[in-house]
Amino acid sequence: MIPRYQRIVYWILVGGILLMLLLLIYGCEHKHSRNLAMRDESRIAAPTDLPAQQVSLALANDADASIILDDISMPLPADPSLRARLILDRMFSDFALPASTHPLPSGKAVTDVFLLPLPLVNPGRESNDADAAQHASPYGHVHMPDAQLAVVNLTKSFADAHPSGIETEDLTLRAIIATLHANLPQVEQIRFLVDGQPRPTLAGHADLTRPYAVIDPIHSIHVLSAFGNPM
Amino acid sequence: VTRPPTPTRALLLLLAATAVAAQTATPPAATVHKPKPHPTKPLPPPYNPNLIVLDPAHGGQDNGANLGRAGAEKDFTLAFANRLSTLLTAKGFTVVLTHSDASDAITADQRVELANRSRAVACLLLHASAAGHGIHLFTSALTLPSIADAAHPDTYIAPWDSAQATSLSKSLHLVNELATALNGLRVPLIVARASVSPIDSMSCPAVALEIAPAAADSNIADDTYQQHIAESVVTALTYWRQHAQDQIAAQIAAQLAAQNPATPAGTSPAPPAPAAKPKPKPKPVIITAPDEVPLAPDNSTPPAKPAPIERKPPPRSTPPPSGPPQ
């Protein structure tokens, strides 16, 4: 016959063991989720002696389809094309973080960014400023004197792995446009390529066949005239 | 003096006699040159208020997004289009689907051609996505036609890749109707503008409807969720049809008034009512769509009887028969 007090102690010990077990499981899961949230698969920046500069990165949010600009400091070279590519690399590495509000696949997203002067003219043709101005407004568009077209060359692996959907693809394009517009104000239009080739859509929805005019990238993009392609 | 030979002289005499006869002939009656009055034929409406075009996105080799347990996007959108088509048909709509089989490989241009030929009152592009939450409504990111184009709507020809610009104001009204109806579902609702193929080429009022899971822990394949969305869309399109019918009636009356200036706008050409029952003063006709799609004259349409124009208030106060769930 087991005394009553021993049975009480026994069940109290069993309850304590179960409680400790539950606390242990909860603590492990909590720590695991925190580790996942803080996992940063972005590439480690190489040491450089370039001066750090203030840049603006567009942060997209799938919950409300919003874009906000966040200022950070990072070393940047003087070449505008290289600057644009590094800034976009940093933006996409932020999007690849597990806690991102606009989750995108990790890895290299942008191969190159080319900056071309606007309006685009035939390089084999002799043209003066008047001719260039004439070319500038065949559809009623007037470019700024130092206006540029940015050609963003995305990688095929990034485009193939991008989440498919109108909203998420549109937000990615808007984030690129807003980031370039904030850091390179001379960029007026942006065209997208994938591995150097034109592609109909990013991941099945967002149109990549037309250039995007950088008018108000936060609220509205792809402001085309009724004449269609303004190029 | 050498005289011409006899046959030539006879021919000259005949020509001279003909000319003299033509000058001295009595002119025909003046009524011959009087232009006949044109019959008052109203122009056909720019769209059929009962016709809806549903375009389930993707198909054939193009599976669209991977929706997890809900399968491929092309299957989901087609199933939702069939569900929506059933509800719309029950409400008296005529529904045209761009394709009826998920294995149909239909191009974007083929979808646009079908939609533009049908002259539908609304075109819905159905999409689905596993990214984001709730319902996303998109209209074209094109801008409105320029002022110069709007000043000459009869001669303006919209380019193929930006035909939606002429119907953009109607598309924005339509998306407002849809947003109002879908707002009662208590799920995240996003209304934005994006360039999604082939919405920019559609000349009808067009909206892309993208369905995403209602929340992080919910499934897009939930039958109740889809049914609620479909019912809300039908409610919005019912209001939109009523609005379109009012616009068409006002348009016909305005055309008749322009062709018969003696008849005040909004009055019926029927014989006047007896003196014991004086008619109320006709209300002025107000066309609420100044950016109407230019109408193509079609004389083959029989003249329609002008209906008295009464601007009825929209039936917002009456609860819809199948309203969104609370």
Side-chain angles (χ1 to χ4, degrees):
Chain A
M1 181 67 183
I2 301 175
R4 189 179 177 210
Y5 77 91
Q6 286 186 354
R7 281 185 287 168
I8 292 174
V9 170
Y10 172 77
W11 287 115
I12 288 176
L13 289 174
V14 168
I17 290 170
L18 290 177
L19 185 63
M20 294 292 289
L21 184 65
L22 291 176
L23 284 176
L24 184 64
I25 293 174
Y26 173 77
C28 287
E29 288 186 347
H30 185 64
K31 182 66 177 174
H32 181 63
S33 61
R34 283 189 62 186
N35 287 340
L36 280 179
M38 296 180 65
R39 185 176 58 189
D40 187 355
E41 294 183 350
S42 56
R43 290 167 291 176
I44 299 175
T48 176
D49 55 353
L50 294 173
Q53 299 178 27
Q54 199 83 4
V55 297
S56 297
L57 297 182
L59 300 178
N61 190 348
D62 286 346
D64 55 0
S66 66
I67 299 272
I68 58 171
L69 290 175
D70 183 27
D71 291 337
I72 65 164
S73 179
M74 62 182 291
L76 288 174
D79 180 46
S81 295
L82 200 54
R83 288 166 61 97
R85 185 176 68 79
L86 291 176
I87 292 171
L88 291 181
D89 278 345
R90 173 59 192 267
M91 184 190 74
F92 281 114
S93 65
D94 286 353
F95 285 152
L97 293 175
S100 169
T101 54
H102 178 60
L104 292 182
S106 59
K108 191 173 179 61
V110 178
T111 306
D112 305 291
V113 178
F114 303 102
L115 299 175
L116 306 173
L118 284 175
L120 296 178
V121 295
N122 187 353
R125 175 185 169 187
E126 291 292 334
S127 62
N128 52 21
D129 291 342
D131 286 341
Q134 193 70 20
H135 277 84
S137 56
Y139 305 107
H141 295 276
V142 177
H143 299 293
M144 297 296 288
D146 57 347
Q148 288 183 327
L149 165 73
V151 180
V152 179
N153 188 18
L154 302 170
T155 62
K156 187 172 184 300
S157 59
F158 171 77
D160 291 341
H162 193 284
S164 182
I166 301 175
E167 186 211 15
T168 181
E169 295 176 37
D170 185 59
L171 277 178
T172 298
L173 298 186
R174 285 174 59 187
I176 295 174
I177 294 170
T179 300
L180 289 181
H181 179 64
N183 298 286
L184 302 169
Q186 71 272 20
V187 172
E188 282 193 359
Q189 293 178 4
I190 297 176
R191 180 179 280 277
F192 294 95
L193 301 176
V194 176
D195 271 359
Q197 300 293 324
R199 178 163 159 149
T201 60
L202 178 58
H205 297 88
D207 190 5
L208 294 187
T209 59
R210 293 171 167 178
Y212 284 75
V214 184
I215 302 297
D216 186 4
I218 300 296
H219 298 97
S220 110
I221 60 166
H222 209 162
V223 182
L224 293 175
S225 71
F227 301 99
N229 192 337
M231 292 295 297
Chain B
V1 177
T2 58
R3 290 188 173 183
T6 308
T8 307
R9 191 169 54 185
L11 183 60
L12 288 174
L13 286 175
L14 183 61
L15 287 174
T18 306
V20 171
Q23 286 183 355
T24 57
T26 306
T31 55
V32 174
H33 298 290
K34 190 176 181 180
K36 291 182 178 178
H38 292 287
T40 56
K41 292 181 179 179
L43 298 175
Y47 40 76
N48 182 351
N50 285 318
L51 188 64
I52 304 289
V53 170
L54 299 180
D55 178 26
H58 310 287
Q61 297 291 328
D62 180 14
N63 291 329
N66 181 12
L67 303 178
R69 281 185 290 174
E73 183 183 2
K74 66 173 184 178
D75 299 319
F76 179 88
T77 54
L78 186 60
F80 185 77
N82 288 327
R83 180 194 299 269
L84 194 55
S85 174
T86 304
L87 295 176
L88 287 170
T89 306
K91 287 285 185 181
F93 284 98
T94 304
V95 180
V96 174
L97 269 68
T98 55
H99 64 281
S100 56
D101 192 344
S103 62
D104 290 343
I106 181 171
T107 64
D109 285 346
Q110 288 173 323
R111 298 170 195 262
V112 171
E113 184 181 5
L114 192 149
N116 290 353
R117 283 183 187 278
S118 63
R119 306 174 75 84
V121 72
C123 298
L124 286 185
L125 290 79
L126 304 175
H127 288 263
S129 174
H133 304 304
I135 303 162
H136 313 147
L137 298 172
F138 295 94
T139 51
S140 170
L142 293 171
T143 54
L144 290 169
S146 64
I147 297 174
D149 301 326
H152 305 285
D154 296 335
T155 58
Y156 176 67
I157 299 175
W160 176 263
D161 57 353
S162 60
Q164 177 60 207
T166 56
S167 300
L168 194 55
S169 61
K170 287 189 178 63
S171 299
L172 294 174
H173 290 163
L174 175 60
V175 83
N176 282 338
E177 292 280 358
L178 289 168
T180 304
L182 290 167
N183 201 26
L185 292 181
R186 295 181 180 177
V187 295
L189 178 64
I190 291 173
V191 180
R193 299 178 67 178
S195 184
V196 187
S197 175
I199 196 171
D200 289 345
S201 300
M202 289 185 168
S203 60
C204 52
V207 172
L209 169 68
E210 185 180 63
I211 302 173
D217 55 349
S218 63
N219 186 8
I220 193 174
D222 183 9
D223 200 53
T224 308
Y225 178 53
Q226 294 181 34
Q227 185 68 17
H228 288 167
I229 295 174
E231 289 174 354
S232 299
V233 171
V234 170
T235 303
L237 291 177
T238 305
Y239 286 136
W240 180 250
R241 173 174 61 180
Q242 180 63 39
H243 182 64
Q245 287 172 341
D246 290 347
Q247 278 196 351
I248 289 175
Q251 204 171 28
I252 291 174
Q255 289 167 9
L256 291 176
Q259 290 177 355
N260 302 319
T263 307
T267 56
S268 170
K277 283 186 174 182
K279 276 191 170 181
K281 278 192 173 181
K283 296 178 180 178
V285 176
I286 301 171
I287 298 178
T288 57
D291 52 346
E292 190 62 60
V293 176
L295 301 173
D298 185 5
N299 293 332
S300 62
T301 306
K305 289 185 178 179
I309 300 303
E310 294 180 2
R311 300 292 298 172
K312 295 179 180 177
R316 286 296 191 187
S317 57
T318 57
S322 58
Q326 297 299 320

